[in-house]
Amino acid sequence: MNSNRTNNAPKAKVKRIGKPPYVIDRSKLHRFNSKNTVFDRVMWDSSWKGYKQMYDEKVIDIIANGKPGYSRVDFALAHASWIVHDAFEGGFSWKKIKLYGTPAATIGIDWTKTKHEIDDPCKMSTFTKRAANLFGASLVGICKLNRDWLYADVDIPEKFENVIVMAVEMDADGIATSPAAPAAAATGAGYSKMAFILAGMGEFIRNLGYEAIQCGNDTALSIPLAIDAGLGQLGRNGLLITPQYGPRVRLCKIFTDLPLGPDKPIEFGVKEFCEECKLCAQQCKAVAISMDNEPNFQATCRSNNPGALKWYVDVERCYLYWCQNGMDCSTCIKVCPYNIASARKAKVTPKEFWNVF
Ligand code: SF4
Ligand code: SF4
C-alpha cells in the first residue's frame, strides 16, 4: 500500500469517455443467473457453508454480549430501516401502482391512455433527472440497455431500451460505525428510500403514457448499468465508486420505453488508485477482497459473474462474516478513501453516532 496516497483523498478528475471503462472477455461472459446470488443460495445450495444460515440468527446472543453498537436500540434501528423497502410493494412495481382500497382507474385522469409526444429525448432526460432528484435520488444517469446485464432467468420486452440508474447516498456517520448496527441502518434506509424514489419515478413515466419497470437489486446487475450510465467506475471492493460519494451509495434502476438521450460513461482513475490502495482488502474481516496488484478474469466463487476484468470479491466469505456479525457490514465502504473524501468523519463510534456523551 502507498500510505501517502491513501491518507489523502483521491482527486477525482472526471472525464467523459466514449465507451464504458471495463474490459470484457466475450468467451467467458454469460448472463448471470439470479439463483446464484449468495442470498438465493442460502435457500437452495446445500453444497456451501452458508446454506440455511440467516444472518440475524445470533442477534439475541449478540445483544446479550453488550458490545457498543450491538444493543437492542441499535438493532431496533437497523431492522426498522428496511420497513419501506420490505413492506411497500409499489416500490418495485412493473405496472401502474394500485392505490390502497380503490382501483386506480376510477380516480382522476387515466394518463396511460395516450403518450406524451417527445421530439427531444435529451430534453426528456433533463426532466427525468430533475424528477429523480426531487424524489430523493442523489445521482442519476441514463444508458441504453446492454442486455448482457439482465439476469439470465429474467426477460423484458425489447421496447425497454432505456435505463434510468439512480444512486442513493447512505448516511455517512452511520456507515462510519461499520461493522456496528448503525451502518446496517444506513444501508436499510438507503433501500427504503430507493422504494420511494422508484415508485415516484415509475408513476411519473406512466403518467406520460410510457412503461416503467422499477427495480432494486432484482432483474439485472446494477453496477455495470450504473457504469454504462456514467455514475462511476468499479472498485477493488466490487462496488461502484462514484466521484461524489465513493462507494457510499445504493443503486436502483428503471427500465423504460420513454425516449431518452443517454449519458456518456466516466473515468477518473479508480483502477489505478485501487491497484495501490488496497485498504478495503486490508480491513475486511472476512478476507474476502483480493490483495492482487492487478485485476483478472477469475471468479472466486459461484456467486461471481466471470468474464469482466476486475478484482473478484469472495461473497461467500463476506456473507459468512455477516452471519457472525448478526447483520451486514459496510467496512469496505467506510474505509475507502473515495468515501472518506465525502464523509464528515472517517470513523464514528456508536456512542458518537447516537450523540451520547
Ligand atoms: S462487506 Fe465487510 S465482509 Fe463483506 S467484503 Fe466488505 S468489508 Fe468484507
Ligand atoms: S475500493 Fe478499496 S482499493 Fe479501491 S480506493 Fe476504495 S478502499 Fe482503496
Side-chain angles (χ1 to χ4, degrees):
M1 179 190 73
N2 178 335
S3 58
N4 288 332
R5 281 188 78 176
T6 51
N7 285 340
N8 294 313
K11 299 266 181 296
K13 283 187 192 143
V14 180
K15 280 189 292 184
R16 289 272 166 193
I17 52 177
K19 60 183 182 80
Y22 45 66
V23 180
I24 298 297
D25 180 342
R26 298 295 325 174
S27 67
K28 291 200 176 90
L29 186 78
H30 299 288
R31 278 169 62 180
F32 183 71
N33 195 312
S34 69
K35 81 169 198 203
N36 287 325
T37 62
V38 88
F39 302 108
D40 274 33
R41 288 176 57 211
V42 168
M43 306 316 296
W44 67 262
D45 187 358
S46 56
S47 73
W48 84 288
K49 223 176 147 187
Y51 177 57
K52 294 271 160 90
Q53 266 202 59
M54 307 312 288
Y55 61 81
D56 57 2
E57 266 172 23
K58 295 186 183 148
V59 166
I60 303 300
D61 294 338
I62 291 171
I63 291 173
N65 287 339
K67 201 170 149 195
Y70 293 80
S71 69
R72 179 159 175 182
V73 176
D74 293 294
F75 275 104
L77 182 72
H79 287 204
S81 68
W82 282 90
I83 190 63
V84 180
H85 176 275
D86 291 353
F88 173 40
E89 281 179 21
F92 303 92
S93 182
W94 288 30
K95 299 272 176 216
K96 188 91 185 144
I97 299 170
K98 275 197 182 159
L99 302 183
Y100 289 120
T102 321
T106 64
I107 298 178
I109 300 166
D110 183 357
W111 293 104
T112 60
K113 283 207 163 131
T114 57
K115 277 189 166 40
H116 174 61
E117 212 169 288
I118 294 164
D119 47 20
D120 184 348
C122 291
K123 194 168 165 192
M124 198 62 233
S125 287
T126 305
F127 290 148
T128 301
K129 289 179 185 179
R130 184 65 190 92
N133 288 146
L134 177 136
F135 286 121
S138 310
L139 304 171
V140 195
I142 293 166
C143 61
K144 293 290 165 196
L145 173 59
N146 177 347
R147 300 181 81 87
D148 285 340
W149 310 133
L150 285 173
Y151 288 144
D153 48 326
V154 180
D155 221 349
I156 62 174
E158 293 288 334
K159 69 176 176 179
F160 290 92
E161 60 170 23
N162 292 318
V163 196
I164 304 160
V165 189
M166 294 165 285
V168 185
E169 182 194 2
M170 293 185 283
D171 184 86
D173 284 358
I175 292 295
T177 69
S178 179
T187 300
Y191 276 100
S192 282
K193 286 175 192 170
M194 170 196 299
F196 174 81
I197 296 164
L198 285 168
M201 287 305 290
E203 289 297 282
F204 172 63
I205 292 165
R206 293 180 196 112
N207 290 347
L208 293 167
Y210 296 88
E211 291 189 51
I213 295 177
Q214 304 162 207
C215 308
N217 292 345
D218 58 289
T219 310
L221 296 167
S222 296
I223 293 174
L225 289 171
I227 295 171
D228 292 352
L231 296 189
Q233 283 187 257
L234 187 68
R236 177 186 289 274
N237 56 7
L239 301 171
L240 181 80
I241 309 284
T242 65
Q244 296 86 347
Y245 311 104
R248 189 169 43 81
V249 292
R250 304 263 47 120
L251 296 172
C252 60
K253 65 265 182 185
I254 292 189
F255 300 98
T256 183
D257 58 346
L258 181 70
L260 294 169
D263 291 298
K264 282 189 169 168
I266 59 172
E267 209 282 324
F268 55 106
V270 172
K271 176 181 170 283
E272 295 71 22
F273 194 87
C274 287
E275 278 169 6
E276 294 193 42
C277 167
K278 300 182 181 172
L279 268 176
C280 52
Q282 288 163 348
Q283 298 289 321
C284 172
K285 291 195 177 161
V287 198
I289 302 175
S290 168
M291 285 289 281
D292 291 350
N293 291 334
E294 288 292 330
N296 59 50
F297 289 100
Q298 297 308 314
T300 58
C301 69
R302 184 178 191 146
S303 292
N304 292 145
N305 192 30
L309 183 67
K310 60 185 183 181
W311 288 281
Y312 285 85
V313 175
D314 189 333
V315 289
E316 291 183 356
R317 281 169 175 255
C318 171
Y319 183 82
L320 292 172
Y321 173 70
W322 291 13
C323 293
Q324 228 179 295
N325 194 44
M327 71 199 113
D328 55 272
C329 155
S330 292
T331 300
C332 51
I333 299 174
K334 172 176 94 170
V335 301
C336 179
Y338 286 103
N339 162 52
I340 292 168
S342 64
R344 191 179 67 88
K345 281 179 84 180
K347 194 174 173 209
V348 173
T349 65
K351 204 171 163 187
E352 286 168 335
F353 172 82
W354 289 107
N355 202 14
V356 180
F357 296 102

